[in-house]
Amino acid sequence: MSQKNEILPLLLTVMVTSAVLGGIAWWLLNKTFPNLNDRSNSSSSSSSNNQISETLAAVKNVPEGLFNYGGSTTWAPIRKEVDFIIQQVWPKFRLVYTDPTAGTPGTGSGIRMLIENQLAFSQASRSLKDEEIQRAQQRGLTLKEVPVAIDGIAIAVHPDLPVSGLTITQLKDIYTGKIRNWRQVGGPNLAIIPYSRRKEDGGTVEFFIDQVLEKADFGDNIQYVYSTTPALRKVSQNLGGIYYASAPEVVPQCGIKTLPLGKSENKLVAPYQEPSIPSSQCPQKRNQLNELAFQKGEYPITRRLFVIIKQNGQLDEQAGEAYVDLLLTDQGQELIEKAGFVPLR
């Protein structure tokens, strides 16, 4: 046999062995890292992001530099969706979310930090208070609030609680301690366990106290929680539990039921799209926000989300205005909707 004929079988053996080993390696990699080669979703997402990027790139007067911002915890889903795209389109417009050095993050702490020049702009889940406007004026600042999205307050209860809905008056009476048993609102003979964050913890609580409780104090039976995640967990474990939070944080969740609300018992409106998806089908299916009811004002507890800008003629004001302009583009509004909130238009 010639030397050439001896080499060919050897080469074939090497090639087959390499292919087999390569296949095994590929299988092991995918077994260990199942999303390593999954590019189908990222491809379409990338295409969508590119279209959004092109439109956002048309926004003018976006400053360069590092800008601290902070405020409402309700804004967390928006920050996740929007800020990532902004950083891609405007890499020199660098945004850093900043927590307060003392206390909990929220609308109030964000506005306080803005007034104290710790932030370039802030995010809020309520309107400015008179005392905040006055405090800013004492420091030579004028604050401006710009609405960018619509949100609402949703009520979570245990999925097995046989209550079909509440009026705003009933909800007020539950949280002020006047109603303490579900039997008083058509439910079973069961003590109500109302959960809430503390008033100082953010704009959602302040909004709830102002608009639902009409500035009345919480009842002495309130059980306070640090944040929405542990509160929803408690509600899912206690048949008598009830909790309120931003609708996008509540409506899609498994393990709880979201109650329709109304100004009267015969006009209850659900914050989710009908028909309701039972928790037994979650997470394969999830309830979706009833955007139309929010936009038309049919749902009784809605609010605006704001960007708070300090008008000082400096770079911070330019940063706040640019952020608003980006959010109010058609694509910015699409990203807000993707984050679970209702766009203004």
Side-chain angles (χ1 to χ4, degrees):
M1 183 181 290
S2 68
Q3 185 177 8
K4 181 178 181 180
N5 290 337
E6 291 176 353
I7 292 175
L8 284 174
L10 181 61
L11 287 173
L12 285 171
T13 301
V14 170
M15 290 172 64
V16 170
T17 302
S18 297
V20 171
L21 291 174
I24 293 172
W26 181 89
W27 181 83
L28 286 171
L29 278 170
N30 278 273
K31 198 71 175 173
T32 308
F33 305 103
N35 297 320
L36 189 64
N37 292 308
D38 182 12
R39 300 183 185 276
S40 57
N41 291 334
S42 63
S43 175
S44 83
S45 174
S46 175
S47 173
S48 174
N49 287 348
N50 286 340
Q51 294 175 1
I52 290 172
S53 298
E54 289 175 5
T55 304
L56 292 181
V59 175
K60 305 299 181 184
N61 300 319
V62 179
E64 296 181 0
L66 181 66
F67 300 96
N68 293 339
Y69 73 110
S72 173
T73 56
T74 298
W75 274 73
I78 298 178
R79 289 193 282 270
K80 181 180 177 182
E81 291 293 342
V82 175
D83 293 5
F84 173 73
I85 300 297
I86 288 177
Q87 296 305 282
Q88 286 185 321
V89 180
W90 301 101
K92 294 184 179 179
F93 181 46
R94 293 175 291 159
L95 301 175
V96 177
Y97 181 80
T98 306
D99 282 328
T101 54
T104 57
T107 294
S109 60
I111 294 171
R112 173 180 54 77
M113 293 169 70
L114 183 68
I115 294 171
E116 294 173 357
N117 284 319
Q118 297 174 23
L119 302 177
F121 58 90
S122 68
Q123 299 166 327
S125 56
R126 60 162 172 79
S127 291
L128 287 163
K129 295 181 176 181
D130 290 341
E131 56 263 34
E132 291 168 337
I133 295 172
Q134 293 169 4
R135 201 182 319 136
Q137 290 174 343
Q138 291 170 0
R139 287 177 166 259
L141 295 174
T142 300
L143 299 182
K144 179 174 78 170
E145 59 182 33
V146 184
V148 296
I150 301 171
D151 184 26
I153 302 297
I155 306 303
V157 296
H158 193 280
D160 296 334
L161 182 73
V163 172
S164 59
L166 293 171
T167 67
I168 299 302
T169 300
Q170 289 171 333
L171 184 61
K172 174 187 176 182
D173 289 346
I174 286 172
Y175 271 89
T176 55
K178 185 176 180 180
I179 293 177
R180 295 174 179 253
N181 192 297
W182 284 110
R183 183 173 53 185
Q184 295 173 264
V185 291
N189 183 13
L190 177 70
I192 297 174
I193 309 172
Y195 297 102
S196 176
R197 291 187 296 155
R198 296 183 182 278
K199 181 178 180 179
E200 59 270 20
D201 284 349
T204 298
V205 188
E206 292 175 305
F207 177 85
F208 187 80
I209 292 172
D210 288 344
Q211 301 299 315
V212 178
L213 305 191
E214 299 177 306
K215 302 186 186 302
D217 293 331
F218 281 128
D220 58 10
N221 61 333
I222 298 293
Q223 293 194 18
Y224 292 102
V225 291
Y226 176 75
S227 65
T228 292
T229 299
L232 293 178
R233 188 178 300 117
K234 286 178 179 292
V235 169
S236 70
Q237 295 169 350
N238 294 286
L239 185 60
I242 183 172
Y243 179 70
Y244 65 92
S246 172
E249 294 180 288
V250 175
V251 169
Q253 295 300 322
C254 304
I256 56 96
K257 178 173 73 174
T258 309
L259 289 183
L261 298 176
K263 294 181 180 179
S264 63
E265 291 185 11
N266 61 345
K267 290 185 179 180
L268 300 179
V269 180
Y272 50 80
Q273 296 176 21
E274 301 274 14
S276 173
I277 296 170
S279 59
S280 59
Q281 296 182 23
C282 193
Q284 289 77 17
K285 295 181 180 180
R286 291 181 184 269
N287 282 303
Q288 302 297 316
L289 212 61
N290 188 353
E291 291 189 7
L292 198 58
F294 280 60
Q295 287 174 328
K296 289 184 175 181
E298 295 171 351
Y299 186 72
I301 316 179
T302 58
R303 60 179 176 174
R304 300 288 180 93
L305 299 184
F306 300 93
V307 177
I308 310 297
I309 302 170
K310 52 184 176 184
Q311 298 177 294
N312 58 2
Q314 298 177 13
L315 210 56
D316 284 351
E317 179 179 356
Q318 187 180 350
E321 295 285 1
Y323 189 69
V324 166
D325 290 344
L326 291 164
L327 291 179
L328 291 179
T329 62
D330 290 342
Q331 283 67 31
Q333 291 287 285
E334 285 179 18
L335 289 171
I336 282 175
E337 186 173 21
K338 186 179 177 183
F341 295 87
V342 180
L344 285 180
R345 55 177 184 267

